[in-house]
Amino acid sequence: MTTTRTGYAVRPLEGHVDVLIVGVGISGIGMAHHLQERRPGTSFAMVEARTAIGGTWDLFTYPGIRSDSDLHTFGYEFKPWTSKNAIADAAEILDYLHEVIEDDGLAPRIHLAHRVVRADFDTTRARWDVVIEHDGVERTVTCRLLFGATGYYDYEQAHAPDFPGSEEFGGRIVHPQFWPDDLDVTGRQVVVIGSGATAVTLIPALAPDAAHVTMLQRSPSYVMPLPKQDPIANGLSRLLPERTAYRLTRRLNIGRQRLIYRASQRYPRQVRRLVRSLNVKALPEGYDVDTHFNPTYDPWDQRLCVVPDGDLFAAISSGRASVVTDHIARFTEDGIELVSGRHLPADVIVTATGLKLLPLGGIALSVDGEPADLSSSVVYKSCMLSGLPNLAFAFGYTNASWTLKVDLVCEFVCRLLAYMEEHGHDIVTPVLDDTAMETRPMLDFPAGYILRAVADFPRQGTSGPWTVEMDYRTDHARLRRGPVPDPALRFATASGGLPAADRDLVR
């Protein structure tokens, strides 16, 4: 048994559990809490391919890494966020996750450096045979229900376009997903390629040390300044008990998120003008806002980028950072040549060009030995897949805080397990009877990183439980308040019983 840098033991998982959680990030930890709270008799284990917990918040180490949602909604419903910072950096978020693990005593359930390679569901035994690679050895463990808390992008690969001339560049090219510990930008010319959340985070973080930082974008994104500290939340926390203040703040912020999104969809021109006016106010007089901060698409057709306390605009106003909107012709030995003919000098080029998506962590799934094609499956209530028994997963919102949906999904899975136990069912499978139903992409969101991979993901239907909702109130009614039994769910009993030993807790 070895120990990781975060203090959790790395020990092989063996035997059988009722629920196997794949991923120990914000979704997996949330599922573990709900199982322990709502299903105390249910055995479960958590496996993580990496050697640390935290998922996104441990993987990304680039300067300034932080949330782009407020932590009163990005945090769990069951665990108050007590920091004064509503927009928090990765270190604060990791501390919060470690607190949940400690509060719930989850450490013994966690098995790091365990990569799930493939899983086959055996309908005669009503269990998954899950092949896990650990320390160079593949072992098979079994579970009744497999829960994917893997996020949606590839941790080992990122989207890295092939820029002409990149081999000629004499400086250093870095992707934010693999930020090197030894990179020092002090006194250097830095160009960050991209205009999304990562780019707008990096610019103000690098600007104080670099000679100059340039954000090079093909087209602008919407950038919204928000206070890093929420005055309403912090005021309520001084006046009310901790949990009451958190509950009220969370409810207010959920309402605000829904209001902004719905207003953006219904009144895009007015919201565009509002965001533009905030940008004009935050930038130097005469700044070309319409070139650099006026997207061609409507607000919330893609995700808005949040900048806490307007730090990006402050970096631009100070002269230590700038924005260039142009196309890359090629890299040169000492910078980037643009289509316009302009040359950007650079010692360091950061390619904040996006993520590479990966459904369910790349696990190869099969049922009774027959490979499952995820891209032909249809999502049931945002958390299960047609034709795949005893499988659930967490996938958060693209237009609001991810964790809002995670809490609801985890509650639903616990209710589903309770219903199956009460009625003597071993197997549950979503079945789409209406084969004529039209389908559309599960991720119906036109961001570039999604469009590049959407064909590999499951699809969603157009009605009933087969839609993937991006609205908390709708999901609240569907997942928390709605009934578990559903004509689309097929319940069954295994033809062979589970051996008694398989019900033992993992030691």
Side-chain angles (χ1 to χ4, degrees):
M1 183 174 71
T2 58
T3 303
T4 68
R5 58 190 168 87
T6 50
Y8 297 101
V10 177
R11 49 194 167 71
L13 173 63
E14 298 175 336
H16 173 86
V17 285
D18 292 324
V19 179
L20 182 64
I21 301 170
V22 184
V24 190
I26 199 162
S27 300
I29 295 169
M31 184 71 237
H33 168 86
H34 283 281
L35 281 172
Q36 187 151 288
E37 182 77 14
R38 300 168 184 274
R39 302 283 305 159
T42 298
S43 63
F44 67 91
M46 310 160 70
V47 293
E48 168 61 52
R50 304 178 69 247
T51 58
I53 69 100
T56 296
W57 305 108
D58 178 78
L59 174 71
F60 290 103
T61 58
Y62 61 81
I65 171 69
R66 54 171 169 74
S67 68
D68 63 352
S69 299
D70 73 277
L71 264 294
H72 299 95
T73 56
F74 190 74
Y76 301 114
E77 185 172 13
F78 61 82
K79 169 78 172 172
W81 176 258
T82 57
S83 169
K84 291 185 177 180
N85 293 326
I87 306 296
D89 62 25
E92 281 191 289
I93 297 171
L94 278 174
D95 286 344
Y96 176 79
L97 295 178
H98 284 296
E99 285 179 14
V100 175
I101 291 171
E102 185 175 353
D103 291 347
D104 289 351
L106 296 175
R109 312 268 194 173
I110 296 173
H111 300 264
L112 301 178
H114 279 58
R115 180 183 305 278
V116 177
V117 179
R118 58 190 178 273
D120 178 69
F121 188 78
D122 183 342
T123 55
T124 64
R125 297 179 298 150
R127 65 182 179 185
W128 286 95
D129 293 309
V130 184
V131 177
I132 298 175
E133 188 275 326
H134 170 64
D135 199 21
V137 177
E138 288 189 353
R139 293 179 173 86
T140 299
V141 300
T142 61
C143 64
R144 289 176 54 211
L145 183 134
L146 187 63
F147 186 83
T150 57
Y152 64 108
Y153 57 83
D154 192 330
Y155 277 39
E156 297 183 355
Q157 298 183 59
H159 177 61
D162 184 16
F163 293 107
S166 57
E167 70 282 354
E168 300 174 15
F169 180 60
R172 197 161 179 181
I173 301 174
V174 174
H175 194 286
Q177 187 166 327
F178 310 106
W179 196 267
D181 293 336
D182 63 346
L183 180 61
D184 183 3
V185 301
T186 302
R188 297 186 176 187
Q189 296 284 343
V190 181
V191 175
V192 178
I193 302 172
S195 60
T198 302
V200 303
T201 298
L202 276 165
I203 304 300
L206 297 175
D209 296 322
H212 189 80
V213 184
T214 303
M215 184 169 82
L216 173 58
Q217 58 182 13
R218 288 184 301 178
S219 57
S221 299
Y222 287 101
V223 181
M224 174 79 78
L226 285 179
K228 184 174 184 177
Q229 296 190 1
D230 184 336
I232 296 177
N234 291 343
L236 288 173
S237 68
R238 288 192 295 268
L239 297 173
L240 299 171
E242 182 180 89
R243 290 191 174 275
T244 303
Y246 182 66
R247 186 169 61 251
L248 287 174
T249 301
R250 186 178 175 87
R251 186 174 299 173
L252 287 170
N253 288 0
I254 290 171
R256 181 175 62 184
Q257 289 177 5
R258 295 182 75 250
L259 177 63
I260 292 173
Y261 179 75
R262 288 176 173 270
S264 298
Q265 298 295 296
R266 189 170 182 179
Y267 307 108
R269 294 174 64 182
Q270 291 89 333
V271 174
R272 178 190 289 267
R273 285 200 297 266
L274 173 62
V275 175
R276 184 184 183 279
S277 68
L278 293 171
N279 294 169
V280 169
K281 184 177 180 181
L283 288 162
E285 186 175 354
Y287 188 86
D288 192 356
V289 172
D290 289 326
T291 295
H292 302 307
F293 290 98
N294 188 26
T296 56
Y297 56 89
D298 286 334
W300 269 118
D301 282 356
Q302 297 186 32
R303 194 173 178 94
L304 270 69
C305 296
V306 170
V307 289
D309 294 337
D311 57 4
L312 172 67
F313 302 126
I316 294 170
S317 299
S318 72
R320 302 195 65 86
S322 58
V323 180
V324 172
T325 304
D326 207 328
H327 287 70
I328 295 171
R330 62 180 293 105
F331 285 16
T332 66
E333 183 180 356
D334 58 354
I336 300 176
E337 181 183 321
L338 304 177
V339 170
S340 65
R342 181 177 176 182
H343 184 268
L344 292 180
D347 303 303
V348 177
I349 296 175
V350 181
T351 55
T353 47
L355 307 169
K356 183 176 180 181
L357 304 194
L358 186 67
L360 279 177
I363 302 169
L365 298 173
S366 58
V367 178
D368 292 330
E370 289 293 321
D373 178 10
L374 290 184
S375 64
S376 64
S377 294
V378 182
V379 178
Y380 173 82
K381 289 190 177 180
S382 297
C383 64
M384 300 178 75
L385 295 174
S386 64
L388 285 171
N390 291 24
L391 175 77
F393 63 94
F395 197 98
Y397 294 115
T398 57
N399 62 353
S401 294
W402 176 276
T403 324
L404 288 175
K405 178 168 278 191
V406 170
D407 272 324
L408 296 177
V409 164
C410 294
E411 284 186 32
F412 176 77
V413 172
C414 289
R415 293 173 60 214
L416 177 62
L417 290 171
Y419 178 86
M420 292 173 68
E421 181 179 62
E422 181 182 353
H423 292 83
H425 301 310
D426 300 313
I427 301 172
V428 58
T429 310
V431 176
L432 178 58
D433 289 320
D434 184 3
T435 56
M437 178 184 287
E438 292 185 10
T439 63
R440 63 181 191 269
M442 169 187 170
L443 306 175
D444 198 6
F445 197 60
Y449 69 97
I450 288 177
L451 295 176
R452 287 191 295 269
V454 71
D456 298 328
F457 277 73
R459 298 181 66 79
Q460 63 171 307
T462 54
S463 62
W466 304 105
T467 59
V468 176
E469 298 296 333
M470 288 294 158
D471 180 76
Y472 179 77
R473 185 171 294 174
T474 302
D475 276 332
H476 189 278
R478 169 192 273 184
L479 295 168
R480 178 172 289 175
R481 302 300 181 192
V484 169
D486 187 304
L489 293 181
R490 302 292 194 273
F491 294 95
T493 302
S495 56
L498 284 177
D502 281 352
R503 296 191 176 93
D504 291 345
L505 296 178
V506 172
R507 302 186 187 282

